[in-house]
């Protein structure tokens, strides 16, 4: 915004506002962008002609629902949300998996409270190995 102060007599000032928008920088920027896109567009396209085969991929199968074993500080063991004990852990885990999933290839996620005794945790690990569940993942909290 500009104002014109006249140097007239008597201390009177006339103010005029310049309300015209200067579009020259806008036009300059747009022309530069136009030139850049005109030069870059042919470089982005492939000029070698190739007849591609159709891509027919079979639909992917959803991964199976993960199985979680939770161990509470008092030694209580849960498969998903169902309580179990150490003696029946293998059988209950097989029931939870069903007949379609192979225990030797199934990954079992173990969630243990930070105050769980090491002996309780190792009891669960040993019971899993005794029942042919060899793929075990430990779940921790990210900070």
């Amino acid at each position: 915004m500009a104002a014109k102060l006249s140097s007239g007599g008597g201390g009177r000032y006339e103010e005029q506002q310049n309300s015209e928008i200067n579009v020259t920088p806008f036009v300059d920027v747009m022309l530069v962008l136009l030139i850049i896109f005109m030069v870059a567009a042919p470089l982005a396209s492939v000029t070698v002609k190739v007849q591609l085969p159709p891509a027919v991929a079979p639909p992917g199968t959803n991964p199976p629902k993960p199985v979680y074993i939770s161990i509470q500080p008092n030694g209580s063991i849960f498969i998903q949300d169902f309580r179990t004990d150490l003696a029946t852990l293998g059988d209950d885990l097989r029931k939870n998996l069903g007949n379609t999933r192979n225990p030797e290839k199934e990954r079992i996620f173990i969630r243990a409270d930070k105050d769980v005794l090491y002996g309780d945790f190792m009891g669960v690990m040993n019971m899993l190995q005794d029942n042919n569940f060899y793929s075990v993942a430990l779940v921790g909290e990210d900070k």
Side-chain angles (χ1 to χ4, degrees):
M1 185 191 290
K4 179 182 175 188
L5 300 176
S6 67
S7 58
R12 291 184 54 201
Y13 298 102
E14 293 181 25
E15 296 181 20
Q16 295 179 352
Q17 292 184 355
N18 183 5
S19 61
E20 296 176 13
I21 297 173
N22 190 0
V23 296
T24 304
F26 177 72
V27 171
D28 289 344
V29 169
M30 296 312 290
L31 288 174
V32 168
L33 288 174
L34 178 66
I35 292 170
I36 289 172
F37 287 127
M38 287 173 55
V39 170
L43 298 176
S45 64
V46 179
T47 58
V48 177
K49 301 293 181 191
V50 176
Q51 188 174 4
L52 297 173
V56 182
T61 59
N62 291 335
K65 183 179 177 184
V67 177
Y68 289 98
I69 294 179
S70 302
I71 308 171
Q72 291 183 330
N74 62 2
S76 299
I77 302 170
F78 291 85
I79 298 175
Q80 304 296 61
D81 293 330
F82 304 105
R83 188 181 179 113
T84 185
D85 59 350
L86 194 58
T88 61
L89 179 65
D91 294 332
D92 292 341
L93 198 51
R94 280 194 184 78
K95 286 179 196 173
N96 190 303
L97 289 174
N99 295 332
T100 60
R101 294 164 78 172
N102 184 1
E104 292 181 3
K105 295 182 180 178
E106 190 65 38
R107 175 169 283 177
I108 307 298
F109 294 90
I110 297 181
R111 300 171 58 237
D113 193 272
K114 66 180 181 177
D115 296 327
V116 168
L117 296 176
Y118 185 71
D120 293 340
F121 176 77
M122 285 307 296
V124 170
M125 292 288 290
N126 290 335
M127 189 57 69
L128 288 174
Q129 285 184 347
D130 291 345
N131 287 282
N132 298 326
F133 292 99
Y134 297 115
S135 181
V136 176
L138 304 179
V139 179
E141 184 177 346
D142 290 336
K143 295 224 177 200

